[in-house]
Amino acid sequence: MCRSIKTLRPPVTPDASEEDYRAAALQYVRKVSGFRAPAAHNREAFDRAVDAVTEATARLLAELEVRGAPARTVDATA
């Protein structure tokens, strides 16, 4: 679906940051909505979706157990 979204989980990307999560979320929301940049009347919904996907991504990566990889210390509530 979104070929430009890179894998963010360790050990593939051990140093993924909030910025990486947000970039992936933005690509996802753009793909799903069909808008690269939403019109002004859709901006708030678009931004809320990016925020929600960013938070879900951080939570997912914090909770994943990847065997053989060191534990990641990410605050999913940040």
Side-chain angles (χ1 to χ4, degrees):
M1 180 173 132
C2 294
R3 294 184 193 143
S4 63
I5 297 176
K6 66 181 180 177
T7 301
L8 297 176
R9 73 167 173 77
V12 179
T13 309
D15 57 348
S17 66
E18 176 77 17
E19 186 177 305
D20 294 318
Y21 302 160
R22 189 157 189 80
L26 179 59
Q27 286 298 320
Y28 175 79
V29 172
R30 284 175 173 170
K31 185 69 165 188
V32 171
S33 70
F35 296 115
R36 175 152 171 39
H41 63 280
N42 288 324
R43 170 58 66 187
E44 188 174 331
F46 189 91
D47 290 343
R48 274 196 313 268
V50 172
D51 291 343
V53 174
T54 300
E55 290 172 17
T57 300
R59 191 169 44 254
L60 170 66
L61 293 174
E63 294 174 3
L64 284 179
E65 180 182 325
V66 180
R67 292 186 180 157
R72 181 184 283 205
T73 56
V74 172
D75 182 4
T77 62

